[in-house]
C-alpha cells in the first residue's frame, strides 16, 4: 500500500473525515491552482507580487548586510513565476548562489526549471523532487549560507502541530545565521478573507472537488464526485479559513483494498485550513523555534507579510 492510499484511508476513518491538502496537486490541481492565483477575489498572490516588486531590493539589501552570497532553497517552489523576480534582483546584486527548487509535483518542477533558466540563463539551478518533509535532510550536507523561501502563505495550511514539526525540521538542516523568508497571510476584514475561498467563478470549488476525482483515478475508489459540494468557512477569532467537501446524498465509497466508507447526507470531509496571522503571532512562532524576526516586508494595505527570520542555532550545536 502506498503512502497516498494509506493516508486517505486513515483520514476517511476519522470521526471528522479528512483528506490532506497536499493531495490537491495532480496535473489538474496544479492547473486549477494557477487559475485561482489569477482570481480577483484571491488577493494573496497579488499581495505577494506587490511585496516582491516593491521590496525586492530591500530584501536583497537586508541579506547582503548579513553575508555576500546566498544559496536560495525554495520549499514547495511551484511554477517559479513569483520567485523569478526575487532571484533576478539577487542575481543583479551579485548575491545569488545556487537556486534549489523543491516540490512534490514533477510537472510543476519542470515548469519552474523552464521558467527560471529561461529568465535567468546564468543561474545555477538544482531541483529536488519529492515531499520536502522527506527530501529536506539532503540539505544537511549543504554548508553554504542559505535562505529558505516558503512562499504562497503555505505555512497557513499546516495544523499548529505540523507548523512546529516543520519549523523544527527546517531548523534541523540550517546553520546559524541562515535565513527563512516565510509568507504569512495577515488577519484582516473577514469578509475579504471569506471571499478569497469562495470565488464567483467556482474555480476554488472545482479545485476542492478535484481531489476526489484524483483519488478515484489513482487509488481506484468510487466517490460519486457529483454528490459533493465545496463548503468554505472562516473563523475570524481564530483566524482560520477551512475548506470542506459536503456530501449531498448518502452513499458508500469503496476502495480496492476492501475498505468501505459510509457517507451520510450533509457529512463533511475537511480538506484544507488556511491560518491568518498577526505580527505578534509570527514573532512568537519564530521565538519558539530558535528564530528571531529580522523584518516583516508587507504590502501597502498590510494584508500580507514576507517575514525574514534569522536562525539563531546551528546544526553543529545540537
Ligand atoms: C500553493 S502552491 C504554492 C507554490 C509557490 N510557492 C507559490 O507561492 O506560488 C504549493 C506548492 O507546494 C507543493 N507542495 C505541497 N506540499 C508539498 C510537500 N509536502 N513537499 C513538496 N512540495 C509540496 C505543491 O506541489 C505546489 O507546487
Amino acid at each position: 500500500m502506498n503512502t497516498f492510499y494509506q493516508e486517505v484511508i486513515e483520514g476517511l476513518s476519522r470521526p471528522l473525515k479528512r483528506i490532506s491538502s497536499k493531495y490537491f496537486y495532480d496535473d489538474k490541481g496544479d492547473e486549477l491552482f494557477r487559475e485561482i492565483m489569477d482570481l480577483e477575489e484571491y488577493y494573496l498572490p497579488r499581495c505577494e507580487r506587490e511585496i516582491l516588486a516593491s521590496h525586492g531590493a530591500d530584501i536583497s539589501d537586508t541579506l547582503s548586510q548579513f553575508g555576500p552570497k546566498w544559496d536560495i532553497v525554495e520549499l514547495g517552489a511551484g511554477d517559479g513565476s513569483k520567485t523569478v523576480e526575487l532571484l533576478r534582483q539577487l542575481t543583479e546584486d551579485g548575491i545569488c548562489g545556487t537556486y534549489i527548487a523543491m516540490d512534490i509535483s514533477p510537472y510543476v518542477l519542470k515548469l519552474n526549471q523552464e521558467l527560471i533558466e529561461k529568465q535567468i540563463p546564468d543561474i545555477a539551478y538544482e531541483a529536488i523532487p519529492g515531499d520536502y518533509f522527506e527530501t529536506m535532510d539532503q540539505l544537511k550536507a549543504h554548508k553554504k549560507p542559505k535562505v529558505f523561501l516558503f512562499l504562497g502563505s503555505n505555512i497557513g495550511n499546516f495544523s499548529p502541530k505540523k507548523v512546529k514539526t516543520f519549523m523544527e525540521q527546517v531548523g534541523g538542516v540550517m546553520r546559524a545565521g541562515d535565513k527563512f523568508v516565510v509568507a504569512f497571510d495577515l488577519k484582516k476584514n473577514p469578509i475579504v478573507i471569506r471571499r478569497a475561498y469562495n470565488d464567483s467563478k467556482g474555480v476554488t470549488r472545482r479545485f476542492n472537488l478535484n481531489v476526489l476525482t484524483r483519488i478515484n483515478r489513482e487509488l481506484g475508489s468510487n466517490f460519486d464526485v457529483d454528490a459533493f459540494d465545496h463548503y468554505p468557512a472562516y473563523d475570524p477569532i481564530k483566524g482560520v479559513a477551512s475548506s470542506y467537501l459536503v456530501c449531498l446524498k448518502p452513499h458508500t465509497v469503496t476502495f480496492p483494498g476492501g475498505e468501505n466508507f459510509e457517507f451520510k447526507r450533509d457529512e463533511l470531509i475537511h480538506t484544507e485550513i488556511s491560518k491568518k496571522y498577526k505580527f505578534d503571532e509570527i514573532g512568537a512562532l519564530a521565538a519558539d523555534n530558535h528564530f528571531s524576526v529580522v523584518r516583516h516586508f508587507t504590502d501597502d494595505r498590510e494584508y500580507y507579510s514576507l517575514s525574514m527570520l534569522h536562525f539563531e542555532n546551528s546544526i553543529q550545536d545540537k
Side-chain angles (χ1 to χ4, degrees), residues 25 33 37 76-78 82 103-105 108 130-132 151-152 154:
Y25 301 97
F33 184 72
M37 303 266 278
K82 280 183 290 190
D103 205 288
I104 201 166
S105 160
V108 140
D131 184 336
Y132 43 64
L151 303 183
N154 285 176

Side-chain angles (χ1 to χ4, degrees), residues 24-243:
F24 279 146
Y25 301 97
D26 63 348
D27 288 0
K28 185 72 189 165
D30 289 333
E31 189 188 310
L32 286 167
F33 184 72
R34 281 186 295 126
E35 252 187 80
I36 289 174
M37 303 266 278
D38 290 334
L39 291 170
E40 179 55 36
E41 294 101 325
Y42 198 69
Y43 59 85
L44 294 84
R46 275 196 310 284
C47 292
E48 200 166 71
R49 281 180 203 282
E50 180 190 323
I51 300 167
L52 290 168
S54 61
H55 292 293
D58 252 2
I59 295 173
S60 176
D61 191 47
T62 307
L63 281 175
S64 60
Q65 289 168 25
F66 288 96
K69 204 92 174 172
W70 296 88
D71 282 354
I72 314 294
V73 180
E74 185 163 15
L75 304 166
D79 67 10
S81 59
K82 280 183 290 190
T83 322
V84 71
E85 300 307 327
L86 181 62
L87 293 175
R88 193 180 284 122
Q89 179 76 51
L90 300 176
T91 303
E92 274 169 24
D93 295 345
I95 64 166
C96 188
T98 303
Y99 171 60
I100 304 165
M102 302 176 76
D103 205 288
I104 201 166
S105 160
Y107 169 74
V108 140
L109 215 41
K110 188 165 159 279
L111 293 179
N112 181 299
Q113 182 158 11
E114 281 166 10
L115 180 87
I116 303 287
E117 290 187 334
K118 184 166 175 229
Q119 303 266 330
I120 314 172
D122 292 340
I123 201 162
Y125 187 99
E126 200 181 307
I128 303 186
D131 184 336
Y132 43 64
F133 282 104
E134 286 159 23
T135 56
M136 213 181 308
D137 276 2
Q138 294 178 27
L139 296 166
K140 272 188 179 158
H142 192 109
K143 296 194 170 55
K144 293 185 186 158
K146 292 180 287 304
V147 183
F148 282 68
L149 299 179
F150 197 46
L151 303 183
S153 83
N154 285 176
I155 197 154
N157 302 134
F158 294 158
S159 66
K161 200 171 141 209
K162 194 139 186 197
V163 174
K164 179 86 187 141
T165 315
F166 175 72
M167 296 293 283
E168 280 171 7
Q169 201 172 352
V170 175
V173 298
M174 280 186 165
R175 308 183 99 76
D178 282 352
K179 304 289 178 282
F180 196 11
V181 175
V182 187
F184 293 94
D185 193 17
L186 300 174
K187 282 186 176 153
K188 62 185 73 59
N189 185 332
I191 298 170
V192 174
I193 295 178
R194 206 176 44 181
R195 259 194 225 126
Y197 297 93
N198 200 20
D199 68 277
S200 51
K201 289 186 183 156
V203 186
T204 317
R205 179 178 178 276
R206 278 185 279 137
F207 177 69
N208 199 10
L209 287 163
N210 178 61
V211 76
L212 298 183
T213 309
R214 176 183 186 185
I215 290 172
N216 279 348
R217 188 186 60 244
E218 293 187 26
L219 305 184
S221 56
N222 63 345
F223 276 100
D224 179 356
V225 180
D226 293 334
F228 285 89
D229 206 350
H230 167 60
Y231 178 70
Y234 179 60
D235 178 338
I237 310 300
K238 291 191 181 135
V240 175
S242 303
S243 289

